[in-house]
Amino acid sequence: MSSPDPECLFCRIVAGDIPSTAVYETGTTYAFRDINPQAATHVLVVPREHHEDSGTLAAEAPELLADVILSGVEVAKQEGIESSGYRLVFNTGPDAGRTVFHAHLHVLGGEQLGLFGRPH
Ligand code: 5GP
Ligand code: ZN
């Protein structure tokens, strides 16, 4: 499903109906700062089209998934964290704390990140 969903938070952010702090954009993707950052740099990259999660995005529009990842790499370059290192994350389902059902890539970095996996 790729048409805009008026109930979807990130569709509304892409449309400009809800304000966000833009970081990078292309014809197919939009990157903006996370409202509740979990690292010194925390940017979200979304496809402009609505796709529910990374798995459906990969199945429905694999080139668009590649655009999202390449945009994440460009964000890292632009934010000056390409050489210091960064993490690209897709959360899926409740155990991963997933809350927004429009596929989105987290770009995290700008400081030493914690280990991922079990809480500590
Ligand atoms: P998830 O937990 O679904 O992988 O990630 C959703 C992310 O969206 C969270 O990190 C959360 O802080 C962020 N978020 C939720 N609502 C908003 C919002 O209105 N604006 C921005 N910029 N980020 C949001
Ligand atoms: Zn959406």
Side-chain angles (χ1 to χ4, degrees):
M1 213 282 269
S2 62
S3 54
D5 177 350
E7 302 297 316
C8 171
L9 176 64
F10 288 172
C11 280
R12 296 181 70 198
I13 284 179
V14 167
D17 295 341
I18 294 175
S20 61
T21 304
V23 172
Y24 180 77
E25 53 189 307
T26 70
T28 58
T29 66
Y30 178 60
F32 55 102
R33 296 204 187 280
D34 196 291
I35 204 169
N36 182 24
Q38 300 301 308
T41 299
H42 188 174
V43 175
L44 301 173
V45 183
V46 299
R48 292 183 182 277
E49 285 182 357
H50 182 90
H51 293 271
E52 175 141 337
D53 59 34
S54 54
T56 54
L57 177 59
E60 293 167 0
E63 290 186 3
L64 185 52
L65 173 61
D67 288 350
V68 168
I69 293 172
L70 289 169
S71 292
V73 173
E74 285 303 318
V75 165
K77 288 181 185 167
Q78 191 175 297
E79 294 287 304
I81 60 171
E82 190 191 18
S83 58
S84 54
Y86 57 93
R87 190 171 289 157
L88 302 179
V89 174
F90 287 105
N91 289 323
T92 305
D95 278 355
R98 206 293 179 78
T99 57
V100 179
F101 295 88
H102 177 132
H104 52 280
L105 176 66
H106 296 259
V107 182
L108 297 149
E111 62 185 322
Q112 180 65 56
L113 300 173
L115 296 175
F116 56 116
R118 290 195 170 122
H120 50 161

